[in-house]
Amino acid sequence: MTVPAALIALVGSLFFALGAALQQFEAAGTDQPKMSALLRRPRWLLGGAAILAGGGLHIVALGLGPLTVVQPMGVASLLFALPIAATLHGRRPSTSELGAAAVVAAGLIGLVLLVPESDGPVRLDLRELFTLLGVSGAAAVLLWAGSRLAGPAGRAALLATASGVLYGATATLVRVLVDGGWNWAYLLALPVPALLALMMLQRAYAVGHFGVSFAALQIADPLTAVAFGALLLGEPLPTGLAPIAAAALATAGTVALARTTPLENRPPRAGTTV
């Protein structure tokens, strides 16, 4: 079942990339896109549906094949997303832009393959739950504050990193719910980082450097989930220099994207604030 799992995961990556590109296209051009306005745009909603479909296909793939095959396929979404986003903005992605994306993908594949698999159910007590929400929230606020002082590419990266941190906290809560059993405290807490992450990501997309924001999101999300898994759930961390090298490679690719991906904005539309 390895080949079907890989193919399903690859299709899931394509859906995720399409959804991200559509949402960025709708959010681009404003500093503070209003969620109430975005929710009234069919193309943005279509992007959300595509992202959900991609996530569903990824879960199906994990049920059919090993993590070491499925997870690298998920990284391919960055390579799909750049050409889709460029097409929506009426241009072709440059060779240097795609090359930088490939470097990011290579680093991310290394990271997902090096993370040890956990065994057994996981749980959070109430104190650890508040630690999870507090640390991720504080990190997101600091990144948001830093973004206000940065240039366009840096602002997109910092806002997307803040979103990735919050999505990483969300992924940790989902993991606890799935593996550790249902708990109303986990369930009630889940929408908080998820909704804040969505709002922060739309601000990152609005800046215009889609490749930078999408790459930063893909790096920050799994790294945060791994860190919380180790700190709060007692899960093992990868050891040695290999994970450091993989993270450095992904970061270097993101920096290269910041230099090669053009600023893609659209004129402000009704229902947004500038």
Side-chain angles (χ1 to χ4, degrees):
M1 298 295 283
T2 299
V3 173
L7 291 175
I8 291 172
L10 200 61
V11 174
S13 294
L14 179 58
F15 272 98
F16 190 78
L18 175 62
L22 286 171
Q23 289 197 335
Q24 189 272 342
F25 184 74
E26 287 300 310
T30 59
D31 290 331
Q32 299 179 14
K34 291 181 179 179
M35 289 302 302
S36 58
L38 292 175
L39 287 169
R40 292 195 296 268
R41 297 182 184 175
R43 188 155 34 195
W44 190 90
L45 292 173
L46 180 62
I51 290 172
L52 289 175
L57 288 170
H58 190 76
I59 292 171
V60 171
L62 285 173
L64 295 175
L67 189 70
T68 53
V69 171
V70 174
Q71 290 292 70
M73 294 298 102
V75 173
S77 58
L78 177 62
L79 300 177
F80 291 142
L82 285 180
I84 294 172
T87 300
L88 287 172
H89 287 279
R91 68 175 186 88
R92 287 185 177 181
S94 66
T95 303
S96 57
E97 189 178 356
L98 292 176
V103 171
V104 176
L108 284 171
I109 289 173
L111 283 173
V112 299
L113 292 179
L114 289 168
V115 175
E117 291 191 43
S118 178
D119 52 352
V122 292
R123 292 190 66 84
L124 287 174
D125 59 32
L126 197 58
R127 178 183 60 82
E128 291 170 331
L129 176 61
F130 281 114
T131 299
L132 173 73
L133 296 175
V135 170
S136 59
V141 168
L142 289 174
L143 289 163
W144 168 79
S147 73
R148 297 175 67 85
L149 305 175
R155 185 160 64 252
L158 289 171
L159 288 170
T161 301
S163 176
V165 168
L166 292 166
Y167 274 132
T170 304
T172 303
L173 283 173
V174 170
R175 170 80 190 283
V176 172
L177 279 166
V178 172
D179 289 355
W182 288 93
N183 184 299
W184 283 109
Y186 306 155
L187 197 59
L188 291 173
L190 186 62
V192 177
L195 291 175
L196 289 174
L198 179 62
M199 294 171 64
M200 200 73 72
L201 184 59
Q202 301 314 305
R203 291 196 173 199
Y205 285 164
V207 176
H209 285 281
F210 175 66
V212 177
S213 56
F214 196 64
L217 173 70
Q218 285 206 309
I219 294 171
D221 184 348
L223 285 180
T224 301
V226 169
F228 279 135
L231 292 172
L232 299 178
L233 305 180
E235 296 181 339
L237 280 174
T239 57
L241 295 177
I244 297 174
L249 189 64
T251 303
T254 305
V255 173
L257 274 175
R259 296 174 177 174
T260 57
T261 303
L263 185 66
E264 294 171 321
N265 276 336
R266 301 170 63 213
R269 297 172 53 174
T272 58
T273 58
V274 180

